[in-house]
Amino acid sequence: ATTEIYTLSLHDALPILKLKRLISLLLVALMVTAIAGCAKANQPANTAPTTAPTQAPSSSGDTSKGNTSKGKFDKLITIDNFNVAANYQGVQSGWFAKVLKDALNIELNIIAPQVAGNAIYQTRVSAGNLGDLVLLERADFADCVANGLIRDISDKIYDCKNLMVFKEQIETYNKTIPGNEDGKKIYGIPVEMTNTSPVTLSEEVIYSSPMLRWDLYKELGMPEIKDLDGLLDVLAEMKERYPTNEDGDPAYPFSLWPDWDGGDNMMGIANVVQLTTWYGEKIKQSIILKPDNTFTPLTDKNAAYYKILKFLNKAQRRGLVDPDSGTQTWENIVSKMTSGRIYLMWYSWQVGFWNSLERLQNGTAFIFVPVMDQLYYADADPYYGTGRIIGVGSQVDDEKYERIMAFLDWYASPEACEFQHNGIKGFTYEVGADGRYYVKNDNALMDNLPVPEEWGGGGYNDGFNKFNQWIVHSISTNPNTGEPYSTRYWSTYKEATQTEMDREWKERFNAEFPVDWMKKNNKLLISPNVCITLPSDTPDISVIRNQCEEILEDYSWRMIFAKSDSEFDAMWDQMVKEMNGLGFQKLVEFDTEIYTMELEAKKAAAASVN
């Protein structure tokens, strides 16, 4: 039986702001193994799963030609895309640039605040032109609508057959925009929508849970892990036995990074924030939603932020935390994940930087291992989207407007979804004579394999879609196959990955997959997906939030590297004192009022299906 909690998930079905930019990238990774990653360029070790048919692939189900707009648009148009999900700035290049040119004769010039700095948002808003095509967080999008920066697209969107598959979700969202409660105007399109339901949990692996290298865990005798201290004991033994990777480089159970701190409506350092969900708690800015549907301040010593921060400090004092953690970049982390220098992963997509089919087959892949005192929080399928919104800038001319709408409709099509979630037909997947899709070159993203010249050449990851966010979630069903776009749910992929490791895991935990284990053991809290636009910060609240966030991040990193319990607690107490002095309690009151609105919407969504 699944324990349900109607908690909040408006902006956090993919919880960390800058993390979501990667999630989009790594959804294709999900396609190629238990996901796939990105790093160096090598030739593929194998070119197809062992279960691929011996016959030459047929054209059955082929959408690589699709209903594109090639030939319809003779003039190449550059579209300026202001994009909060992107971690790349400049004109899209590589194989996806060729896809866009062939399909629509466009090129995307991406303006990324994650690269250029957040000040670029205010600069462009003040100038009255954010961009031709924008991707924003929901609250900012509503503000831009109110300020006349976003165009009403209701005159064209109802003729977009692919977007109209999600007509209910799109209309529901637009009714939440202040001043548009009648829904007569359509301004925005949510991203990562599904064709399932607001209370369905389709994933077999939740967004965050402890994942260990199976071969190392097996070597230790597959011990039951009772709590966080027990997890540290297991990780310590792994490091003692294997202090380096195969190349002799230092390896650690924990390797952290600060790049994503303070994002996605969650105050605090990202690597702590996400692990709080292991205990059924969800951080919402300055407050934490507890499993009993009550709120408590983030600074509560009895809540999960303190608990996880203390856990990481204990790990550091036992020599289990990479000493580079406080200063290294995401790019450093990618290199360490792909080279086997990390022994614990906690994001579902993260394993894509290691879990190739070969490693799944030889048992060296990462997989969920339960910690018995934990209660795992999971968001339901993002039926209404994950919080970000795509819109058209109010300053675009008619010619560019037509091209942008053609792009958006194409972007929601099965053809585009296959490019997004599956890659290049003939290179990262094949369509067999039986009509089923088969994975090929599953290491294309993680090893940045060279792309065939017919697709423009270059590295596969180098040319990956830099827009970095999808309209259609990978768990949605592909009408060409009757199966989800996500590769790991393909019947062929499941057949290919029925490995000895898989059989061992099932026998050890008496479950088919991680979510099945969580449900059987009453260890899962499911939060319904809802569509609601919350008010933005007032100027006073914004100042308090920014000041408190800076203090929280600074002290949190220092506490991870504290030398003793007494030093840790002294830092915590001083941090709380300084935050309270800046008005933190006002922030708690404001956030409690705001997120109670979302909580009530969650409860209503759950009640509607019961």
Side-chain angles (χ1 to χ4, degrees):
T2 303
T3 303
E4 293 191 334
I5 178 174
Y6 309 124
T7 53
L8 314 177
S9 67
L10 176 59
H11 297 293
D12 50 76
L14 301 176
I16 308 296
L17 168 66
K18 302 166 194 168
L19 184 150
K20 282 188 201 163
R21 73 195 186 202
L22 279 201
I23 290 291
S24 304
L25 185 147
L26 290 159
L27 284 172
V28 168
L30 280 174
M31 152 219 124
V32 279
T33 148
I35 322 176
C38 51
K40 49 190 189 207
N42 295 320
Q43 293 299 322
N46 60 332
T47 59
T50 56
T51 58
T54 55
Q55 309 100 305
S58 75
S59 60
S60 173
D62 182 3
T63 60
S64 61
K65 300 294 184 290
N67 296 317
T68 73
S69 300
K70 187 176 182 181
K72 180 180 178 182
F73 300 112
D74 296 328
K75 178 182 177 182
L76 176 66
I77 287 182
T78 299
I79 295 172
D80 290 335
N81 169 221
F82 186 90
N83 190 321
V84 299
N87 56 3
Y88 167 92
Q89 180 151 292
V91 176
Q92 169 79 49
S93 62
W95 67 268
F96 195 72
K98 176 174 171 47
V99 168
L100 292 176
K101 186 173 182 185
D102 288 350
L104 297 144
N105 208 11
I106 64 172
E107 63 179 10
L108 286 182
N109 176 40
I110 297 170
I111 302 159
Q114 302 302 340
V115 177
N118 291 331
I120 195 172
Y121 173 76
Q122 290 298 338
T123 299
R124 296 183 72 89
V125 166
S126 298
N129 187 357
L130 195 54
D132 302 325
L133 179 68
V134 302
L135 174 65
L136 296 171
E137 299 295 340
R138 189 169 298 187
D140 288 339
F141 192 88
D143 289 344
C144 287
V145 169
N147 289 316
L149 297 175
I150 305 296
R151 181 168 183 158
D152 173 13
I153 58 175
S154 56
D155 60 332
K156 288 190 177 294
I157 194 169
Y158 289 101
D159 294 326
C160 296
K161 64 178 182 179
N162 296 304
L163 287 171
M164 284 300 96
V165 172
F166 301 94
K167 180 174 181 285
E168 178 195 347
Q169 294 96 312
I170 292 171
E171 289 183 338
T172 299
Y173 161 69
N174 280 273
K175 289 177 183 178
T176 72
I177 297 175
N180 193 51
E181 288 79 3
D182 58 6
K184 290 184 177 179
K185 295 181 178 180
I186 302 295
Y187 292 101
I189 301 167
V191 299
E192 307 287 0
M193 293 178 289
T194 72
N195 51 16
T196 55
S197 88
V199 294
T200 301
L201 179 63
S202 300
E203 302 283 4
E204 295 178 354
V205 179
I206 66 170
Y207 188 69
S208 183
S209 61
M211 291 171 285
L212 303 176
R213 274 267 300 268
W214 184 252
D215 57 328
L216 304 185
Y217 177 68
K218 182 180 174 183
E219 186 177 318
L220 300 183
M222 297 184 288
E224 179 179 285
I225 303 175
K226 294 183 178 180
D227 52 26
L228 290 176
D229 288 335
L231 179 59
L232 289 182
D233 291 340
V234 167
L235 292 169
E237 191 166 353
M238 286 183 183
K239 177 167 173 52
E240 183 177 354
R241 295 189 184 198
Y242 300 97
T244 67
N245 67 358
E246 292 180 355
D247 297 328
D249 299 317
Y252 294 89
F254 300 88
S255 197
L256 315 174
W257 63 98
D259 293 26
W260 301 345
D261 293 352
D264 197 30
N265 299 310
M266 296 182 185
M267 292 181 65
I269 61 177
N271 297 153
V272 174
V273 164
Q274 200 51 53
L275 270 60
T276 63
T277 62
W278 292 4
Y279 286 90
E281 299 188 14
K282 188 68 171 176
I283 292 180
K284 297 301 220 175
Q285 295 279 23
S286 64
I287 56 178
I288 302 178
L289 184 68
K290 305 279 282 185
D292 62 357
N293 278 346
T294 61
F295 293 106
T296 192
L298 180 145
T299 52
D300 182 352
K301 276 191 175 182
N302 295 314
Y305 192 86
Y306 176 89
K307 182 183 184 74
I308 296 301
L309 199 61
K310 195 70 174 280
F311 164 63
L312 292 176
N313 174 249
K314 287 182 180 179
Q316 181 272 139
R317 285 154 56 190
R318 294 181 67 170
L320 306 180
V321 174
D322 184 346
D324 297 334
S325 290
T327 56
Q328 66 187 342
T329 65
W330 168 248
E331 286 70 25
N332 299 141
I333 287 291
V334 168
S335 175
K336 290 177 179 180
M337 287 190 293
T338 56
S339 61
R341 297 179 61 188
I342 297 174
Y343 294 148
L344 175 74
M345 293 186 181
W346 54 81
Y347 294 118
S348 60
W349 49 264
Q350 201 175 10
V351 299
F353 289 105
W354 180 261
N355 282 11
S356 64
L357 283 173
E358 180 181 359
R359 287 174 177 142
L360 289 165
Q361 290 164 351
N362 66 26
T364 61
F366 282 83
I367 194 168
F368 165 71
V369 173
V371 176
M372 297 308 295
D373 74 335
Q374 292 179 347
L375 185 64
Y376 301 101
Y377 172 100
D379 290 300
D381 294 354
Y383 181 78
Y384 292 108
T386 57
R388 289 181 174 147
I389 307 297
I390 296 175
V392 179
S394 59
Q395 301 301 312
V396 298
D397 59 31
D398 289 343
E399 180 183 33
K400 186 171 287 189
Y401 175 43
E402 181 184 8
R403 197 75 62 91
I404 291 172
M405 291 306 298
F407 164 73
L408 291 174
D409 193 44
W410 173 84
Y411 206 44
S413 71
E415 175 192 350
C417 288
E418 289 187 355
F419 281 120
Q420 295 157 20
H421 301 309
N422 307 145
I424 301 172
K425 181 179 176 291
F427 181 63
T428 54
Y429 73 99
E430 293 280 8
V431 182
D434 58 2
R436 297 195 297 168
Y437 286 21
Y438 292 81
V439 174
K440 183 178 181 180
N441 287 338
D442 73 310
N443 60 329
L445 199 60
M446 72 173 71
D447 289 339
N448 199 23
L449 295 184
V451 171
E453 285 302 319
E454 64 185 284
W455 289 96
Y460 183 73
N461 176 54
D462 294 336
F464 194 77
N465 182 4
K466 306 305 182 184
F467 191 90
N468 223 14
Q469 194 87 72
W470 323 133
I471 290 175
V472 182
H473 195 283
S474 65
I475 202 65
S476 296
T477 299
N478 181 351
N480 293 318
T481 65
E483 297 181 329
Y485 290 104
S486 175
T487 300
R488 62 193 175 109
Y489 293 105
W490 291 357
S491 57
T492 54
Y493 179 80
K494 289 187 174 184
E495 290 166 6
T497 56
Q498 285 295 311
T499 63
E500 183 62 25
M501 168 181 150
D502 184 62
R503 289 187 288 272
E504 289 171 349
W505 188 93
K506 290 178 180 180
E507 181 179 352
R508 170 65 181 84
F509 296 110
N510 189 31
E512 290 298 309
F513 44 83
V515 167
D516 183 44
W517 181 90
M518 292 173 184
K519 289 180 176 180
K520 284 182 175 180
N521 291 275
N522 296 316
K523 297 289 188 179
L524 184 62
L525 307 181
I526 300 176
S527 172
N529 185 254
V530 298
C531 183
I532 181 173
T533 298
L534 300 177
S536 302
D537 286 353
T538 65
D540 288 347
I541 289 295
S542 180
V543 170
I544 295 172
R545 192 182 305 284
N546 291 336
Q547 291 176 334
C548 288
E549 172 64 27
E550 183 176 348
I551 290 171
L552 178 61
E553 289 179 17
D554 177 54
Y555 272 96
S556 293
W557 279 110
R558 289 162 58 191
M559 280 185 274
I560 289 174
F561 289 94
K563 296 181 175 59
S564 64
D565 285 340
S566 59
E567 183 180 357
F568 180 96
D569 283 318
M571 287 183 184
W572 178 274
D573 293 341
Q574 181 61 28
M575 176 190 77
V576 173
K577 180 180 179 181
E578 292 183 20
M579 290 170 65
N580 286 340
L582 292 170
F584 183 70
Q585 291 305 315
K586 291 181 180 178
L587 199 58
V588 169
E589 292 171 6
F590 179 86
D591 288 340
T592 300
E593 180 179 355
I594 294 302
Y595 287 106
T596 296
M597 296 165 55
E598 195 176 65
L599 176 59
E600 294 306 314
K602 294 281 189 180
K603 292 178 179 178
S608 69
V609 297
N610 289 336

